[in-house]
């Protein structure tokens, strides 16, 4: 059986832990190959927001691509992948994706995913949203992107921040039919623990 190939783009929005946790979870699942692209701002935010450094994060991926490497395999539709997740997705990245402004590998890879009708999941991390942000999210959805903001769910009775992050990551991976075993699923009000 061929490995699933997922591209993970981590941009400079707050919330780099979402991309990091995706990589951590996917590393534990057999038969998945991860391709990572870190933006320069993501590298800074990793150091600001977490106890990781960017080399630790790169070590979680199977393949690491340079941010400006437009000749990377993932820049071509002939390199088959199962899709891409941008976690978190900055408004700058969102705008570039919507306008096909492929000045980086993150944007080029996302553009390839969209043109080849594969799954592109964007996890925008910004509040509050002004009309321009909302318009960009709408336009990205019209292009075929799945908009999946990291919004916490509380029916799972989270006890820690990790519980909230894991729920979001579990739901995101559901979009690719990957059950990482980290998601407490809703089973109705009579089946609460």
């Amino acid at each position: 059986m061929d490995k699933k190939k997922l591209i993970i783009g981590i941009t400079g929005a707050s919330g780099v832990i979402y991309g990091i946790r995706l990589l951590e979870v996917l590393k534990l699942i057999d038969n998945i190959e991860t391709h990572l692209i870190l933006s320069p701002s993501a590298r800074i935010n990793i150091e600001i927001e977490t106890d990781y450094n960017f080399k630790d994060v790169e070590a979680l991926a199977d393949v690491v691509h340079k941010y400006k490497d437009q000749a990377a395999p993932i820049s071509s539709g002939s390199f088959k992948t199962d899709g891409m997740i941008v976690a978190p997705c900055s408004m700058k990245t969102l705008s570039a994706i919507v306008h096909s402004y492929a000045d980086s590998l993150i944007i080029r890879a996302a553009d390839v995913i969209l043109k080849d009708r594969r799954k592109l999941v964007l996890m925008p991390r910004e509040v509050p949203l002004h009309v321009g942000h909302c318009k960009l999210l709408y336009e990205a959805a019209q292009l075929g992107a799945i908009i999946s903001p990291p919004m916490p769910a509380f029916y799972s009775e989270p006890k820690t921040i990790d519980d909230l992050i894991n729920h979001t990551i579990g739901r995101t991976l559901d979009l690719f039919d990957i059950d990482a075993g980290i998601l407490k699923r809703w089973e109705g009000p009579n089946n609460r623990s």
Side-chain angles (χ1 to χ4, degrees):
M1 179 188 311
D2 289 336
K3 282 188 171 189
K4 275 193 178 201
K5 294 178 183 169
L6 284 179
I7 303 167
I8 308 297
I10 302 178
T11 71
S14 182
V16 291
I17 192 63
Y18 292 107
I20 294 168
R21 186 60 49 81
L22 270 169
L23 291 168
E24 289 174 334
V25 168
L26 291 171
K27 191 167 188 69
L28 299 174
I29 301 173
D30 291 336
N31 212 34
I32 296 179
E33 179 179 290
T34 55
H35 290 256
L36 173 64
I37 316 159
L38 289 173
S39 77
S41 296
R43 289 173 180 244
I44 294 168
N45 277 0
I46 287 167
E47 307 262 344
I48 292 171
E49 295 182 354
T50 74
D51 292 331
Y52 297 88
N53 64 54
F54 76 88
K55 289 287 186 191
D56 297 330
V57 175
E58 288 179 340
L60 295 170
D62 295 302
V63 182
V64 177
H65 300 281
K66 291 185 176 151
Y67 180 68
K68 288 289 189 177
D69 184 4
Q70 297 283 13
I74 59 174
S75 71
S76 173
S78 66
F79 185 82
K80 294 289 281 181
T81 68
D82 294 276
M84 179 174 182
I85 303 168
V86 183
C89 182
S90 67
M91 291 298 118
K92 176 183 174 184
T93 300
L94 172 66
S95 180
I97 290 169
V98 166
H99 295 102
S100 302
Y101 187 70
D103 69 335
S104 73
L105 185 56
I106 290 177
I107 309 309
R108 174 58 189 164
D111 201 47
V112 166
I113 296 297
L114 287 173
K115 78 180 183 66
D116 287 352
R117 305 292 192 261
R118 299 179 195 147
K119 283 188 181 166
L120 174 63
V121 177
L122 304 178
M123 296 177 69
R125 230 303 307 139
E126 183 70 69
V127 298
L129 298 170
H130 62 60
V131 171
H133 297 151
C134 294
K135 182 179 174 191
L136 288 169
L137 291 166
Y138 173 73
E139 290 173 353
Q142 283 185 308
L143 292 171
I146 298 169
I147 310 302
S148 185
M151 295 181 179
F154 293 96
Y155 61 80
S156 61
E157 299 174 317
K159 306 291 185 256
T160 66
I161 291 174
D162 276 350
D163 291 342
L164 294 171
I165 294 166
N166 286 340
H167 184 86
T168 296
I169 296 310
R171 293 285 290 137
T172 301
L173 291 175
D174 273 354
L175 296 168
F176 293 90
D177 295 320
I178 298 170
D179 186 347
I182 60 170
L183 181 60
K184 183 177 177 185
R185 298 186 183 280
W186 177 248
E187 295 180 3
N190 296 328
N191 293 311
R192 293 183 54 186
S193 54

